[in-house]
């Protein structure tokens, strides 16, 4: 009778002083794996310019038609760049095909995971919302 009781007490004490495996979410965030696939975003160069050359390969390869409305313009040096670019996160299945297809490394899946929104329209990213420095959809921003 007393042995099982002591065993139980020992287990309780052991767990009481061990590192907790739960987090106080949302105050504490879990570090996700390097391989985590968040949502696609347009990457930028050091000068802040987008790498995208509006070739539309990512749009063609996307299996769920989540990338739409890539509108290209031409710079003075005849280089192309996008003036419109839409990523619909309601359709995205986070497969990473767009990242693999892009010849410029201009679209990459980030490591964000708090994508829930009350307003579905916020999940349709325009070119500004889809650009790296600004694509920070986080729970804390809209609570
Ligand atoms: S991750 Fe997949 S589904 Fe999402 S935009 Fe890229 S290709 Fe489309
Ligand atoms: S993100 Fe890459 S694949 Fe998509 S249009 Fe721009 S350069 Fe082309």
């Amino acid at each position: 009778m007393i042995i099982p009781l002591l065993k139980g007490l020992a287990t309780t004490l052991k767990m009481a002083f061990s590192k907790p495996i739960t987090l106080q979410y949302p105050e504490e965030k879990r570090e996700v794996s390097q391989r985590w696939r968040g949502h696609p975003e347009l990457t930028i160069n050091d000068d802040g310019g987008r790498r995208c050359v509006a070739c539309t390969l990512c749009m063609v390869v996307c299996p769920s038609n989540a990338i739409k409305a890539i509108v290209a313009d031409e710079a003075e040096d005849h280089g192309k760049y996008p003036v419109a670019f839409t990523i619909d996160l309601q359709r995205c299945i986070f497969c990473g095909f767009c990242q693999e297809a892009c010849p410029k490394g201009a679209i990459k899946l980030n490591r964000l995971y708090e994508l829930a929104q009350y307003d579905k329209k916020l999940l349709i990213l325009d070119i500004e919302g889809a650009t790296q420095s600004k694509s920070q959809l986080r729970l804390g921003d809209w609570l």
Side-chain angles (χ1 to χ4, degrees):
M1 174 71 185
I2 192 79
I3 300 288
L5 199 65
L6 288 174
K7 276 186 182 172
L9 191 61
T11 303
T12 305
L13 284 172
K14 191 171 140 200
M15 296 315 289
F17 293 104
S18 61
K19 193 172 172 228
I21 57 171
T22 52
L23 289 177
Q24 296 298 317
Y25 182 84
E27 289 81 17
E28 292 177 57
K29 313 279 188 194
R30 187 173 292 285
E31 263 302 303
V32 293
S33 156
Q34 287 295 333
R35 295 179 299 166
W36 175 263
R37 293 178 186 168
H39 73 74
E41 64 184 5
L42 295 174
T43 60
I44 50 176
N45 291 316
D46 290 340
D47 63 4
R50 296 181 188 94
R51 293 195 182 103
C52 180
V53 292
C55 68
T56 71
L57 267 177
C58 55
M59 187 168 78
V60 171
V61 82
C62 178
S64 57
N65 201 21
I67 299 176
K68 300 169 193 170
I70 300 178
V71 180
D73 204 349
E74 198 170 306
E76 282 179 7
D77 62 357
H78 303 297
K80 284 193 170 179
Y81 64 93
V83 288
F85 198 111
T86 305
I87 303 177
D88 186 347
L89 297 183
Q90 297 171 105
R91 301 188 67 95
C92 181
I93 55 171
F94 312 102
C95 63
F97 281 5
C98 50
Q99 177 175 310
E100 284 181 39
C102 180
K104 297 288 182 186
I107 188 164
K108 289 202 180 298
L109 270 58
N110 62 24
R111 298 175 69 211
L112 302 182
Y113 55 91
E114 297 168 319
L115 303 181
Q117 298 289 339
Y118 284 121
D119 184 354
K120 288 198 292 184
K121 281 184 281 190
L122 294 175
L123 293 170
I124 302 173
L125 306 179
D126 62 8
I127 191 165
E128 291 301 325
T131 300
Q132 203 167 37
S133 56
K134 294 170 188 146
S135 59
Q136 297 289 318
L137 282 177
R138 285 179 188 277
L139 190 71
D141 292 341
W142 50 267
L143 269 182

